[in-house]
Each structure stands twice: as C-alpha cells, then as structure tokens.
Amino acid sequence: MRQFDPVAALTERLRAAIVRVAGGGVTEAEALDPRIEANKRPELGDFQCNAAMGLAKRLGKNPREVAQAIVKAADLGDLAEPLTDKDIAGPGFINIRLRTAGVAALLSAFDTPALGVPRPEQAETVVVDLCGVNLAKQMHVGHLRSMIIGDAIARVFERLGWRSVRQNHLGDWGLPIAMVTHRVAEEVQAGRVSLDALTLDDLDRLYKEAQRECAADNRGLATARRWTMGPKAIAELEAQVSGAEAELAEAKGTLLRLQAREPATLRIWQRIADVTLSECLSICERLGVKVSQADTAGESSYAGELGPAVDDLLARGIAETSEGATVIRVEGLDQPCLIRKSDGGFLYATTDLCAIRRRVQKIGASRVIYCVDARQSLHFAQVFAAAVRAGFATRPGAPGPSRLQHAAFGMVLGEDHRPFKTRSGDNVRLADLIREAFERAEAIVRAKNPDLPGDEAHAIARAVAIAAVKWVDLSNDRIKDYVFSFDRMLAFDGDTGPYLLYALVRIRSIFRKAAERGVAFDPRAPFDPAAPAERALALSLLRFPSTLQSVAESLEPHRLCTLLYEVATLFSKFFDACPVLNADDPSTRASRLRLCDLTARVLADGLGALGIPTAERM
RNA sequence: GUCCCGGUAGCUCAGUUGGAUAGAGCAGCGGUCUUCUAAACCGCAGGUCGGCGGUUCGAAUCCGCCCCGGGGCGCCA
C-alpha cells in the first residue's frame, strides 16, 4: 500500500467513518469518497474533508450534523490529531491536522529508492510520436515543442516502469519530397551543388524553390482572363502556369522512380534524408532529447503497406468509395477520413493508419501518444476513429483497442504575440535558437560565478540553457500558445528552470559542507518535521508519486513542473528559516539532513523525468 | 457557414476536474547577507476570473446564448 501517501491514508480512515454514517442508505463509491484535499487554508489544517456536504444532500440531513457524525465516527490513529466539532468549518468542511510524528512516519515510508512510485506488475508499452521533421526543411520552434514535450512524456512513462518507444515519423515521402528530390537532381546535374557537400540550408532553399516553381497560378490566370487584362499579362501568366505544370510533371516522374526504387534517384533521396536526419539528431542530442536513428520510422517505411491496407479496408466494408476517392466514415464526425485520392494516390491519413497498426500490433503499444501541434486535431480524431473501426488499434487477443491520444500543443509566439519569427519574417532555425540560449547562459553563468573553471562553467551553462528552454515549454499548459523570450527564461528569477537547478545546487552544497566539517549523513536518523517550514516541505514532497501518475494520465507535464516549483520554493523557505548544519542539536541536524536529501532526490528525479539536466554547482 | 482551442492582476501564467477569503512569478514599493550559494527570503500593493443568464447549500470550474482572439474543415503533408 501507499503508506507514505497522506491522502490515501486519510481517505481509507474517513471512508470507514462515512460508511458508518451513511448507514447503508448510500452505497455508491462516489458518494462515499471522503474527498480529501490539501487544505485551502493552511492555518486551519493540513488537509480537509469535503464529503459532508454531498452526503448530507443524499441523506436529506443538515450538512454540519453530518460532519459532526463523521467527526465522531472517525479514528485517525497516530496519523492525525483526533477530530472534534471545532474542526468543522463553514458549511461542513472538516479540517485535519497531521501529528508531527505522523508526518515523520509518512516521510520514513516514502524514503525508499523508488520514492514511492510503485512498479507495475507487468510492464506496458507506450509509443510516443515526436519530432515530426520533414525532409529538406529546417526545423523550427514547432519541432522544439514536439521534441521537448514528447521526450518528457516518454520519460515520465519510463519513470513509472513502462517501456516507452519514441517514434520520429519522418516526413520523407510523397510529392513534395519528389519535388525537392527532382530539384536537387537538377542542381547536381548543372554542377551548382555537390551531393557530398549538401547542407540542410541548401535543401531548405531548394525545397522552397521547388514549391514555388510547381505552384501554378491558375487562379491568377483565371482572374486575368475574367478581367480581360492586357495580353502581355495573360501571356506571362500562361507561361508561368505551363512552366509549373511541366515542373510538376517532372516531379511526378521522380515520384514514380522513387516508388520503383530506381537507384540513381534513390541515392539522391537517401542523401537528402541523411542530411536532414543528422541535423535533427544533432539538435536532439544538444537538447538532451532521447531520439536516435533507431527511433526514426519515416513515411517511406510504410509505402509498401498502403495499397494492400486500403484494399483490405474496402474488402471488409470499412472503407467505401465516394466521388472517386476512398474514404472511411466514422461516427460523430461529419468529415470522413480520406485514405485514397481519385487518382489513386495515398494521403497522410493512410500512412498514419498504417503507423497505428504497426505501433499497436507490432510494437505492442497499449497507448500511442502523438505530440503534434493542435492544428492537427481533426486529422487525428478522424484517423484514431478510423483505426479503431478498422481494428488497427487492437492488439491481437486484447479485449479492446489501445488508447490513441493526441497530446496537442499550441504555438510559440514572439514577444509581439505574433508567430515566432526572425525580424526578416523567416522561421527561426532551431540550431540558431539553441546556440543563442547556450551563449546567453554561458555569459550569465560566468558573470554570476567568475571563480568557476572554464570547462565547468561551460557544462553548467549547458544545463542552465536546457533547463531554461525546456522549463518554459513544459511549465505552461501545453494546449495553450506561449510567448518565447530569452530574457524571461534566462532571467533566473522566479518560476524558471535555473531557479529549480539553483535549489538543487544549494542542497548539494550543504552536503559538500557537511563532508568538509566531518558531519556524517545518517540515512536512518529519525525525522522530526516540527517547524512549519519543514512540515510544508514534507507534505509537498509526498505528492511526488501521485503527481507523476497524473502526468501520465493527463499527458500534462506542467503538473509536475508546478509541484517541483512548489518543492523548490518551500525548500528555499525552509533553507532560510531552518539552519541545517548549524542546527541547535545533533538530532535536529540529522533530521534536517534527511529532509534535504529527500528533497534533492525528488528534485533530481522529477527534473530527470522532464528531461532536464542538473548541476552540482552554479 | 460549421467544428475545435483559448480569454484569470499592468505583463507571463497556475488553479488538484463543483468547495472556504481565486494563487504564483515578473514588473513596482519597502525590508533581510560576519553563520549551510542573496540566482534567495520576508512584507506591501495590484482582480466585474471576456459578458449575460441558468443549474445548487456553493461556480473561474458544469449548461445555454453572445463578444473577442487563434486554428481546422475530402482528393497538400
């Protein structure tokens, strides 16, 4: 049992009391839930029970009288002070104050290597879709969010004992890729670029050129004709349109050669993929995001499955033909999911369906989580529903489908609240953004602590920069847009990554000082959280395991950030109010050292679960 | 047109799924370093929770209508 969890312990005890008060008249579990919460008003108690009001309604009684009955029937043992009528407040809140010895017992039970996180009987598998980069395109802040949030979610599941499999669903197939492949082939042919020296910047430029050249201005031409503009203007537009159509036809030819695995074309495509992926993996590594080559499964890896899958779905009556295209209709959604165009081509929904099948049935995922921006909400709603209908989301032998979830996130905005762009209006290159964060962090670290050796300052700056960037992204509710500001995230004041690192550094410093003074750390010294600052910190630490669980359930990492920030601020208050090494007596010192140790482990563990590195000194 | 997401202090954001007097951080004002890292701590000030109705003992939270902002909407990915 969770013997360290005060909410669980109080729930158990008060449920017994409520069952007695209800007297069999009420039996639903929900109605008997004691509704234990952290107390909204700490001066009145540590926890509160909100059950009396709801129960009174069901029993047709006065809520305060019901509260009195609960108080009378409750036995809180050694954990909390005995309840009396004085603990009833307002309409029927019951305030509960733990005994110091009770808090100490909870802390002892919590102080295990697992920090109260239960190990599942059977490891389950979660697949996290993250990164989502496209061939030949520079990464931007949207990818940053996907990497940071996706990696954090994967790590939280790992911390809870799951097997987590990251999947970088590389956009490496389809007409746009054929367009740029064709464009690169032309450039190589003309001797303007060398395949060996190809950079992502080259590719990004060629990608945009290819897009532009293939985009026929048909609407412009129609408008020009309707308004009977001058023959010169119409001729220019006609030339543009026919040029674009020719370019497009060549790109389609390249697409066919790619699909036929024609070696010369494939070699160029492979080179484009290598350049893109190596840049992507390099950024992941610099950010401490655990994505490797092995986690990459591009759209091209599904190419052979698409046709058979669609035929299979048609044969089973799941898909149908509509206006020449193949669609899957799903209940509750007006828009059907389009899986084959009338010209026979496939769409990204087709690939995503096959990806779900592989992730669930081959990789064995009981949950598949997509860290993709919120604009894709409708797409995933369609694909998920279609996959469930098709049976693609169900593992062989499983009673029902695995959970498919879209962990959608909002946009990154600049300080002007417009989409985050450079002054010239381009996307900010991720590599540039990371470099700037590192450089700013290093300058600040060296200014704040000039005594640090150069290489250590460099390493600390890396941790600080990553903490700063990730913290902003993770500490906000992911569904909302957020405003990106180097100044704010690196200001090191308040609710920032560096503040968390600093709290941990201060604790580690205490232990270094302890060693210098020859003070031994006793990992079994009795806890005695008598001071208010100690008690507040202790109760906050105990929420760590349930918070991790709630992050896995909600896929909202910011809940963990909120807790860790609370732990860090409560530690700072404790640090200010309660001398540790300079405590009045050895037993207080030993107790406080243990509290420091627990705090450090919760902070390090929690930051680790978010993918944020720590430092020994700052 | 329709669907989805957002709107909380000057700014940036939380709010444990319906609980008490809505909380932090920045910015502002005022305090605290001869003692474990002041990247800190303490205090003051700051609010029609977009608006109006409804549900009930009780609403930032649930329901309805409206306002503002962003996004999506069958043959692009």
Side-chain angles (χ1 to χ4, degrees), chain A residues 148 151-153 155-156 470-471 474 551 557-558 560-561 564 605-612:
Chain A
I148 292 175
D151 187 50
I153 287 175
R155 285 171 189 262
V156 166
K470 287 190 175 178
W471 190 263
L474 293 170
V551 171
H558 80 276
L560 182 53
C561 293
L564 294 180
D605 197 339
L607 289 169
L610 294 169
I612 295 174

PDB file of all heavy atoms in Angstrom, chain A residues 148 151-153 155-156 470-471 474 551 557-558 560-561 564 605-612:
ATOM      1  N   ILE A 148      10.477  18.447 -26.967  1.00  0.00           N
ATOM      2  CA  ILE A 148      10.575  18.641 -25.519  1.00  0.00           C
ATOM      3  C   ILE A 148       9.410  17.961 -24.801  1.00  0.00           C
ATOM      4  O   ILE A 148       9.595  17.221 -23.833  1.00  0.00           O
ATOM      5  CB  ILE A 148      10.619  20.152 -25.191  1.00  0.00           C
ATOM      6  CG1 ILE A 148      11.934  20.750 -25.686  1.00  0.00           C
ATOM      7  CG2 ILE A 148      10.439  20.376 -23.699  1.00  0.00           C
ATOM      8  CD1 ILE A 148      12.032  22.251 -25.519  1.00  0.00           C
ATOM      9  N   ASP A 151       9.479  14.047 -25.410  1.00  0.00           N
ATOM     10  CA  ASP A 151      10.534  13.393 -24.643  1.00  0.00           C
ATOM     11  C   ASP A 151      10.158  13.350 -23.163  1.00  0.00           C
ATOM     12  O   ASP A 151      10.372  12.346 -22.486  1.00  0.00           O
ATOM     13  CB  ASP A 151      11.856  14.144 -24.840  1.00  0.00           C
ATOM     14  CG  ASP A 151      13.041  13.423 -24.217  1.00  0.00           C
ATOM     15  OD1 ASP A 151      13.205  12.214 -24.475  1.00  0.00           O
ATOM     16  OD2 ASP A 151      13.806  14.070 -23.475  1.00  0.00           O
ATOM     17  N   ALA A 152       9.593  14.429 -22.648  1.00  0.00           N
ATOM     18  CA  ALA A 152       9.201  14.468 -21.238  1.00  0.00           C
ATOM     19  C   ALA A 152       8.122  13.422 -20.964  1.00  0.00           C
ATOM     20  O   ALA A 152       8.189  12.700 -19.961  1.00  0.00           O
ATOM     21  CB  ALA A 152       8.698  15.871 -20.869  1.00  0.00           C
ATOM     22  N   ILE A 153       7.162  13.319 -21.845  1.00  0.00           N
ATOM     23  CA  ILE A 153       6.097  12.330 -21.639  1.00  0.00           C
ATOM     24  C   ILE A 153       6.683  10.918 -21.675  1.00  0.00           C
ATOM     25  O   ILE A 153       6.371  10.077 -20.822  1.00  0.00           O
ATOM     26  CB  ILE A 153       4.982  12.514 -22.689  1.00  0.00           C
ATOM     27  CG1 ILE A 153       4.182  13.783 -22.365  1.00  0.00           C
ATOM     28  CG2 ILE A 153       4.050  11.299 -22.721  1.00  0.00           C
ATOM     29  CD1 ILE A 153       3.129  14.156 -23.398  1.00  0.00           C
ATOM     30  N   ARG A 155       9.691  10.041 -20.932  1.00  0.00           N
ATOM     31  CA  ARG A 155      10.477   9.825 -19.719  1.00  0.00           C
ATOM     32  C   ARG A 155       9.590   9.584 -18.505  1.00  0.00           C
ATOM     33  O   ARG A 155       9.927   8.787 -17.620  1.00  0.00           O
ATOM     34  CB  ARG A 155      11.392  11.035 -19.458  1.00  0.00           C
ATOM     35  CG  ARG A 155      12.595  11.105 -20.375  1.00  0.00           C
ATOM     36  CD  ARG A 155      13.300  12.448 -20.189  1.00  0.00           C
ATOM     37  NE  ARG A 155      14.335  12.679 -21.189  1.00  0.00           N
ATOM     38  CZ  ARG A 155      15.636  12.456 -20.981  1.00  0.00           C
ATOM     39  NH1 ARG A 155      16.043  11.993 -19.806  1.00  0.00           N
ATOM     40  NH2 ARG A 155      16.509  12.695 -21.928  1.00  0.00           N
ATOM     41  N   VAL A 156       8.474  10.280 -18.424  1.00  0.00           N
ATOM     42  CA  VAL A 156       7.567  10.067 -17.291  1.00  0.00           C
ATOM     43  C   VAL A 156       7.056   8.624 -17.293  1.00  0.00           C
ATOM     44  O   VAL A 156       7.021   7.968 -16.251  1.00  0.00           O
ATOM     45  CB  VAL A 156       6.395  11.068 -17.328  1.00  0.00           C
ATOM     46  CG1 VAL A 156       5.290  10.639 -16.366  1.00  0.00           C
ATOM     47  CG2 VAL A 156       6.883  12.466 -16.963  1.00  0.00           C
ATOM     48  N   LYS A 470      13.584  24.297 -21.730  1.00  0.00           N
ATOM     49  CA  LYS A 470      12.586  23.251 -21.517  1.00  0.00           C
ATOM     50  C   LYS A 470      11.543  23.664 -20.485  1.00  0.00           C
ATOM     51  O   LYS A 470      10.371  23.323 -20.606  1.00  0.00           O
ATOM     52  CB  LYS A 470      13.263  21.949 -21.090  1.00  0.00           C
ATOM     53  CG  LYS A 470      13.996  21.257 -22.232  1.00  0.00           C
ATOM     54  CD  LYS A 470      14.438  19.855 -21.829  1.00  0.00           C
ATOM     55  CE  LYS A 470      15.056  19.127 -23.022  1.00  0.00           C
ATOM     56  NZ  LYS A 470      15.545  17.773 -22.646  1.00  0.00           N
ATOM     57  N   TRP A 471      12.005  24.366 -19.462  1.00  0.00           N
ATOM     58  CA  TRP A 471      11.068  24.735 -18.397  1.00  0.00           C
ATOM     59  C   TRP A 471       9.929  25.610 -18.929  1.00  0.00           C
ATOM     60  O   TRP A 471       8.778  25.418 -18.579  1.00  0.00           O
ATOM     61  CB  TRP A 471      11.790  25.432 -17.244  1.00  0.00           C
ATOM     62  CG  TRP A 471      10.906  25.599 -16.046  1.00  0.00           C
ATOM     63  CD1 TRP A 471      10.189  26.685 -15.688  1.00  0.00           C
ATOM     64  CD2 TRP A 471      10.620  24.591 -15.070  1.00  0.00           C
ATOM     65  NE1 TRP A 471       9.470  26.432 -14.551  1.00  0.00           N
ATOM     66  CE2 TRP A 471       9.714  25.159 -14.151  1.00  0.00           C
ATOM     67  CE3 TRP A 471      11.038  23.264 -14.876  1.00  0.00           C
ATOM     68  CZ2 TRP A 471       9.212  24.460 -13.048  1.00  0.00           C
ATOM     69  CZ3 TRP A 471      10.550  22.568 -13.781  1.00  0.00           C
ATOM     70  CH2 TRP A 471       9.641  23.156 -12.896  1.00  0.00           C
ATOM     71  N   LEU A 474       7.585  23.341 -20.821  1.00  0.00           N
ATOM     72  CA  LEU A 474       6.891  22.304 -20.051  1.00  0.00           C
ATOM     73  C   LEU A 474       6.021  22.862 -18.940  1.00  0.00           C
ATOM     74  O   LEU A 474       5.073  22.208 -18.516  1.00  0.00           O
ATOM     75  CB  LEU A 474       7.912  21.330 -19.461  1.00  0.00           C
ATOM     76  CG  LEU A 474       8.669  20.481 -20.480  1.00  0.00           C
ATOM     77  CD1 LEU A 474       9.821  19.738 -19.801  1.00  0.00           C
ATOM     78  CD2 LEU A 474       7.728  19.498 -21.167  1.00  0.00           C
ATOM     79  N   VAL A 551       0.443  13.043 -14.417  1.00  0.00           N
ATOM     80  CA  VAL A 551       1.042  13.494 -15.682  1.00  0.00           C
ATOM     81  C   VAL A 551       0.858  12.418 -16.751  1.00  0.00           C
ATOM     82  O   VAL A 551       0.503  12.707 -17.891  1.00  0.00           O
ATOM     83  CB  VAL A 551       2.543  13.821 -15.507  1.00  0.00           C
ATOM     84  CG1 VAL A 551       3.199  14.070 -16.861  1.00  0.00           C
ATOM     85  CG2 VAL A 551       2.709  15.040 -14.618  1.00  0.00           C
ATOM     86  N   PRO A 557       2.679  17.569 -18.661  1.00  0.00           N
ATOM     87  CA  PRO A 557       3.898  17.675 -17.852  1.00  0.00           C
ATOM     88  C   PRO A 557       3.905  18.893 -16.924  1.00  0.00           C
ATOM     89  O   PRO A 557       4.610  18.896 -15.914  1.00  0.00           O
ATOM     90  CB  PRO A 557       5.016  17.791 -18.899  1.00  0.00           C
ATOM     91  CG  PRO A 557       4.447  17.206 -20.138  1.00  0.00           C
ATOM     92  CD  PRO A 557       2.970  17.513 -20.102  1.00  0.00           C
ATOM     93  N   HIS A 558       3.121  19.908 -17.242  1.00  0.00           N
ATOM     94  CA  HIS A 558       3.196  21.117 -16.403  1.00  0.00           C
ATOM     95  C   HIS A 558       2.735  20.848 -14.976  1.00  0.00           C
ATOM     96  O   HIS A 558       3.089  21.583 -14.058  1.00  0.00           O
ATOM     97  CB  HIS A 558       2.407  22.277 -17.027  1.00  0.00           C
ATOM     98  CG  HIS A 558       0.940  22.223 -16.813  1.00  0.00           C
ATOM     99  ND1 HIS A 558       0.085  21.497 -17.616  1.00  0.00           N
ATOM    100  CD2 HIS A 558       0.143  22.804 -15.869  1.00  0.00           C
ATOM    101  CE1 HIS A 558      -1.157  21.649 -17.192  1.00  0.00           C
ATOM    102  NE2 HIS A 558      -1.154  22.427 -16.139  1.00  0.00           N
ATOM    103  N   LEU A 560       3.739  18.384 -13.191  1.00  0.00           N
ATOM    104  CA  LEU A 560       4.963  18.043 -12.464  1.00  0.00           C
ATOM    105  C   LEU A 560       5.790  19.301 -12.221  1.00  0.00           C
ATOM    106  O   LEU A 560       6.374  19.472 -11.155  1.00  0.00           O
ATOM    107  CB  LEU A 560       5.757  16.991 -13.248  1.00  0.00           C
ATOM    108  CG  LEU A 560       7.052  16.495 -12.603  1.00  0.00           C
ATOM    109  CD1 LEU A 560       6.831  15.999 -11.174  1.00  0.00           C
ATOM    110  CD2 LEU A 560       7.678  15.390 -13.456  1.00  0.00           C
ATOM    111  N   CYS A 561       5.824  20.191 -13.214  1.00  0.00           N
ATOM    112  CA  CYS A 561       6.543  21.453 -13.030  1.00  0.00           C
ATOM    113  C   CYS A 561       5.965  22.241 -11.856  1.00  0.00           C
ATOM    114  O   CYS A 561       6.700  22.798 -11.045  1.00  0.00           O
ATOM    115  CB  CYS A 561       6.470  22.309 -14.292  1.00  0.00           C
ATOM    116  SG  CYS A 561       7.367  21.612 -15.680  1.00  0.00           S
ATOM    117  N   LEU A 564       7.184  20.601  -8.670  1.00  0.00           N
ATOM    118  CA  LEU A 564       8.621  20.773  -8.433  1.00  0.00           C
ATOM    119  C   LEU A 564       8.934  22.216  -8.060  1.00  0.00           C
ATOM    120  O   LEU A 564       9.790  22.482  -7.212  1.00  0.00           O
ATOM    121  CB  LEU A 564       9.423  20.353  -9.667  1.00  0.00           C
ATOM    122  CG  LEU A 564       9.374  18.865 -10.026  1.00  0.00           C
ATOM    123  CD1 LEU A 564      10.204  18.584 -11.267  1.00  0.00           C
ATOM    124  CD2 LEU A 564       9.828  17.992  -8.874  1.00  0.00           C
ATOM    125  N   ASP A 605      15.030  13.621  -9.458  1.00  0.00           N
ATOM    126  CA  ASP A 605      14.204  12.610 -10.095  1.00  0.00           C
ATOM    127  C   ASP A 605      13.147  13.269 -10.985  1.00  0.00           C
ATOM    128  O   ASP A 605      12.946  12.896 -12.141  1.00  0.00           O
ATOM    129  CB  ASP A 605      13.532  11.783  -8.983  1.00  0.00           C
ATOM    130  CG  ASP A 605      12.987  10.460  -9.497  1.00  0.00           C
ATOM    131  OD1 ASP A 605      12.754  10.333 -10.702  1.00  0.00           O
ATOM    132  OD2 ASP A 605      12.772   9.567  -8.666  1.00  0.00           O
ATOM    133  N   GLY A 606      12.500  14.284 -10.461  1.00  0.00           N
ATOM    134  CA  GLY A 606      11.452  14.971 -11.206  1.00  0.00           C
ATOM    135  C   GLY A 606      12.003  15.693 -12.423  1.00  0.00           C
ATOM    136  O   GLY A 606      11.444  15.622 -13.514  1.00  0.00           O
ATOM    137  N   LEU A 607      13.133  16.371 -12.244  1.00  0.00           N
ATOM    138  CA  LEU A 607      13.746  17.056 -13.386  1.00  0.00           C
ATOM    139  C   LEU A 607      14.178  16.026 -14.424  1.00  0.00           C
ATOM    140  O   LEU A 607      14.030  16.242 -15.629  1.00  0.00           O
ATOM    141  CB  LEU A 607      14.934  17.909 -12.920  1.00  0.00           C
ATOM    142  CG  LEU A 607      14.546  19.152 -12.112  1.00  0.00           C
ATOM    143  CD1 LEU A 607      15.775  19.789 -11.463  1.00  0.00           C
ATOM    144  CD2 LEU A 607      13.835  20.184 -12.985  1.00  0.00           C
ATOM    145  N   GLY A 608      14.697  14.901 -13.954  1.00  0.00           N
ATOM    146  CA  GLY A 608      15.086  13.829 -14.868  1.00  0.00           C
ATOM    147  C   GLY A 608      13.899  13.330 -15.673  1.00  0.00           C
ATOM    148  O   GLY A 608      14.015  13.071 -16.872  1.00  0.00           O
ATOM    149  N   ALA A 609      12.749  13.230 -15.021  1.00  0.00           N
ATOM    150  CA  ALA A 609      11.547  12.754 -15.707  1.00  0.00           C
ATOM    151  C   ALA A 609      11.067  13.770 -16.741  1.00  0.00           C
ATOM    152  O   ALA A 609      10.278  13.437 -17.623  1.00  0.00           O
ATOM    153  CB  ALA A 609      10.448  12.461 -14.700  1.00  0.00           C
ATOM    154  N   LEU A 610      11.543  14.999 -16.623  1.00  0.00           N
ATOM    155  CA  LEU A 610      11.182  16.021 -17.608  1.00  0.00           C
ATOM    156  C   LEU A 610      12.261  16.190 -18.672  1.00  0.00           C
ATOM    157  O   LEU A 610      12.087  16.944 -19.622  1.00  0.00           O
ATOM    158  CB  LEU A 610      10.953  17.365 -16.901  1.00  0.00           C
ATOM    159  CG  LEU A 610       9.752  17.423 -15.948  1.00  0.00           C
ATOM    160  CD1 LEU A 610       9.796  18.708 -15.120  1.00  0.00           C
ATOM    161  CD2 LEU A 610       8.444  17.333 -16.716  1.00  0.00           C
ATOM    162  N   GLY A 611      13.381  15.496 -18.484  1.00  0.00           N
ATOM    163  CA  GLY A 611      14.470  15.624 -19.444  1.00  0.00           C
ATOM    164  C   GLY A 611      15.347  16.833 -19.193  1.00  0.00           C
ATOM    165  O   GLY A 611      16.010  17.319 -20.102  1.00  0.00           O
ATOM    166  N   ILE A 612      15.368  17.307 -17.950  1.00  0.00           N
ATOM    167  CA  ILE A 612      16.160  18.492 -17.613  1.00  0.00           C
ATOM    168  C   ILE A 612      17.380  18.079 -16.807  1.00  0.00           C
ATOM    169  O   ILE A 612      17.246  17.458 -15.747  1.00  0.00           O
ATOM    170  CB  ILE A 612      15.297  19.507 -16.826  1.00  0.00           C
ATOM    171  CG1 ILE A 612      14.179  20.030 -17.720  1.00  0.00           C
ATOM    172  CG2 ILE A 612      16.159  20.651 -16.301  1.00  0.00           C
ATOM    173  CD1 ILE A 612      13.190  20.932 -17.004  1.00  0.00           C
TER     174      ILE A 612
END
